[in-house]
Amino acid sequence: MGSERNGWIKRLMPTGLLGRSLLILMTPMLLLQIVTVLIFFERHWDTVARQLSRGLAGDVAYVIDYLGQFPDEEHYQWIQHSARGRMQLDLVFEPDEILQEETTEPPFGLVSEELFNALDERLARPFYFNLDLDDRQLEIRVQLKEGVLSIVAPRKRLYNSTTYIFFMWIAGSALILYGVAVIFMRNQVRPIRRLAKAADQFGRGVDVEDFKPEGASEVRMAATSFLSMRDRIGRHLSQRTALLAGVSHDLRTPLTRMKLELAMQQSSPGVDALKQDVVDMERMVDAYLAFARGEEGEKAEPTDIGKLLTDQVGEALRDGQQIDLHIEDNLDMELRPQSMRRCIANIMSNAGRYANNLSVRAGRRGPDYEIVFDDDGPGIPADKREEVFKPFFRLEESRNQATGGVGLGMTIARDSARGHGGEVVLADAPGGGLRVRLILPVGH
């Protein structure tokens, strides 16, 4: 029960920082206003309503007592004129009438209850009152021996205008305070949102050079740390690329000399094997350099995913692969085109190496753009699916790179996808082969 209650409370809580901050600020203010209003009801309004009701009931009792002592027409005219001028009461006497309705219990409402108690205390006779005669008047009917006395009084004799002024002041001040709180909190949350957007863009390879630290000191500290992290990552990538370019150059020189030496040798099984080894080593160096280089130096730009995918499928078809392509939605995204081409090409070439047919489906899936590659090959065992993303890991145990590859294809594909904030996920295809899901966040 406790966990269910906590889950229900969490679902009602705002999910954003702005909403939660406003809730923290406004909840004490709202509770304070509720307590203030309750105290006002219990003390001030209750006291004022009681005094006003007793005053009106006292005037009504005075008029009835006066008419009881002086029932003649002359005194009735005088009390009628005096009550209208001094008590704001309009008297209408209905001789020989019987009170049709009688108020025997206090109606619902604080004012109605106080008026009933006051009339019941001061009038020892049946009475009936209607507080909603119209927008400005109320009526009190009292049964006398000779008939029914109808007394019409203004509603303001029971209702104090300060009550409504108090409520308007409470509501107006609350709206002003809430508005000021919303404005200030939005200004405080905006730098955090910009920092989150910059981090998301950086994760997808989009330039964030126009981002500057702003806001509170803690937010500025986080933004400064983010900029330092971005610079460190950039320097690391540049150093890695420069190092591997140097290694590649240093390796190519002896490989070139080896190729020249072998070319001058007579053909024999041993020499041919060495030539093939040199070719394989060159291919491995090129593949490793491509993996290490990644997206270094390439800028993200708006790219039509559908067109890019169509071009890559067209190249694979010209190479002899059997591919069925279906694009549900064309979408322009900011990404590094060459890196994404390398990612898609590696996935399709891996499928072409082990399968006869490949089906490619692309479309929008919620907040992401998803490209699904289904082949009819042997698939990959579940316990080996994460290992294939390791550099130089090959499911095929032979040393033949023509059939098994270098072992960097899927590694480069995942590295490229993650460089765009996405992911590459492996699963079983409906036809029994391998399903590769390339997920790319559309962004904000």
Side-chain angles (χ1 to χ4, degrees):
M1 290 294 293
S3 60
E4 293 180 0
R5 181 167 59 252
N6 293 335
W8 179 75
I9 294 175
K10 288 182 179 180
R11 285 193 295 270
L12 292 180
M13 289 286 291
T15 57
L17 178 60
L18 177 61
R20 294 191 176 188
S21 301
L22 291 176
L23 184 65
I24 294 173
L25 288 175
M26 294 179 179
T27 299
M29 297 169 57
L30 183 60
L31 292 177
L32 177 61
Q33 290 175 341
I34 291 175
V35 172
T36 303
V37 170
L38 290 177
I39 293 175
F40 177 80
F41 270 112
E42 291 292 333
R43 301 293 180 86
H44 177 75
W45 199 9
D46 186 39
T47 302
V48 171
R50 185 182 300 110
Q51 294 298 329
L52 293 176
S53 298
R54 288 179 177 178
L56 179 59
D59 292 345
V60 173
Y62 172 77
V63 170
I64 292 175
D65 291 343
Y66 185 87
L67 291 176
Q69 293 181 10
F70 305 99
D72 56 277
E73 182 66 24
E74 182 180 353
H75 284 87
Y76 172 74
Q77 295 293 334
W78 181 86
I79 193 63
Q80 187 180 41
H81 176 74
S82 178
R84 180 181 297 111
R86 298 184 179 182
M87 304 178 189
Q88 296 179 307
L89 302 179
D90 289 331
L91 307 180
V92 177
F93 182 69
E94 303 172 5
D96 301 327
E97 287 291 329
I98 302 297
L99 189 64
Q100 300 296 327
E101 296 180 272
E102 180 180 353
T103 304
T104 58
E105 295 182 358
F108 177 77
L110 179 61
V111 176
S112 301
E113 183 178 354
E114 293 294 345
L115 180 60
F116 173 84
N117 293 332
L119 292 174
D120 188 56
E121 180 182 350
R122 286 166 172 76
L123 303 179
R125 58 190 77 242
F127 64 87
Y128 168 79
F129 63 86
N130 179 17
L131 301 183
D132 298 320
L133 183 63
D134 56 37
D135 294 338
R136 296 184 178 182
Q137 293 179 320
L138 59 90
E139 181 185 21
I140 300 174
R141 297 173 63 83
V142 183
Q143 180 68 59
L144 304 180
K145 293 181 180 181
E146 298 82 7
V148 174
L149 178 64
S150 174
I151 304 169
V152 178
R155 288 171 58 89
K156 64 182 180 180
R157 289 210 55 182
L158 286 180
Y159 295 91
N160 191 354
S161 60
T162 58
T163 302
Y164 302 102
I165 294 175
F166 175 77
F167 280 117
M168 291 178 62
W169 180 83
I170 287 289
S173 62
L175 290 176
I176 293 175
L177 291 175
Y178 293 161
V180 172
V182 169
I183 293 173
F184 276 90
M185 286 307 304
R186 283 175 62 90
N187 291 334
Q188 295 302 314
V189 172
R190 187 178 294 113
I192 300 176
R193 289 179 174 172
R194 289 178 178 174
L195 175 59
K197 183 178 180 181
D200 177 71
Q201 289 178 333
F202 179 69
R204 292 186 287 112
V206 181
D207 290 336
V208 289
E209 296 179 356
D210 58 342
F211 175 74
K212 297 180 180 179
E214 59 180 346
S217 58
E218 292 82 358
V219 181
R220 287 175 177 267
M221 186 181 302
T224 303
S225 299
F226 165 74
L227 292 177
S228 300
M229 178 194 68
R230 181 197 64 180
D231 295 338
R232 285 195 298 268
I233 292 175
R235 288 195 300 269
H236 169 71
L237 293 176
S238 298
Q239 291 172 359
R240 185 186 69 171
T241 303
L243 174 63
L244 291 168
V247 171
S248 174
H249 179 270
D250 292 341
L251 288 176
R252 287 178 185 277
T253 301
L255 286 175
T256 302
R257 288 201 303 265
M258 292 172 62
K259 288 178 65 176
L260 290 175
E261 291 290 340
L262 291 173
M264 297 175 63
Q265 300 293 327
Q266 295 181 355
S267 178
S268 67
V271 172
D272 293 340
L274 286 175
K275 289 181 179 180
Q276 184 60 44
D277 287 341
V278 170
V279 172
D280 292 342
M281 289 177 65
E282 285 185 328
R283 187 181 298 113
M284 291 177 64
V285 170
D286 292 338
Y288 187 44
L289 183 60
F291 164 69
R293 184 184 300 113
E295 306 98 10
E296 176 67 20
E298 186 181 6
K299 301 295 183 181
E301 59 186 52
T303 305
D304 187 346
I305 292 289
K307 184 177 184 304
L308 187 147
L309 189 60
T310 302
D311 293 342
Q312 289 303 121
V313 170
E315 292 182 9
L317 290 174
R318 286 191 294 271
D319 292 338
Q321 281 190 255
Q322 299 296 320
I323 301 177
D324 176 29
L325 174 64
H326 178 70
I327 300 176
E328 300 175 7
D329 306 287
N330 284 326
L331 180 68
D332 287 337
M333 290 179 55
E334 280 202 359
L335 48 80
R336 293 177 289 275
Q338 295 301 326
S339 174
M340 186 52 55
R341 286 193 182 95
R342 189 182 304 117
C343 173
I344 295 173
N346 286 350
I347 294 175
M348 290 194 301
S349 64
N350 187 73
R353 187 176 294 115
Y354 298 103
N356 296 322
N357 298 285
L358 175 64
S359 171
V360 182
R361 297 288 183 271
R364 188 77 174 262
R365 300 292 184 271
D368 302 323
Y369 194 83
E370 186 172 300
I371 306 174
V372 179
F373 303 85
D374 289 331
D375 63 45
D376 58 355
I380 298 178
D383 59 340
K384 298 290 186 180
R385 287 173 185 166
E386 283 301 315
E387 295 187 22
V388 298
F389 293 107
K390 296 179 180 180
F392 302 107
F393 178 84
R394 298 193 304 167
L395 285 174
E396 186 183 17
E397 297 181 356
S398 70
R399 299 177 57 87
N400 189 353
Q401 295 183 15
T403 59
V406 178
L408 287 173
M410 297 304 293
T411 308
I412 295 174
R414 173 173 275 188
D415 186 63
S416 174
R418 288 181 173 178
H420 290 86
E423 185 59 275
V424 176
V425 181
L426 304 183
D428 291 327
L434 179 67
R435 164 170 287 187
V436 181
R437 295 171 55 225
L438 173 58
I439 304 171
L440 299 173
V442 176
H444 307 286

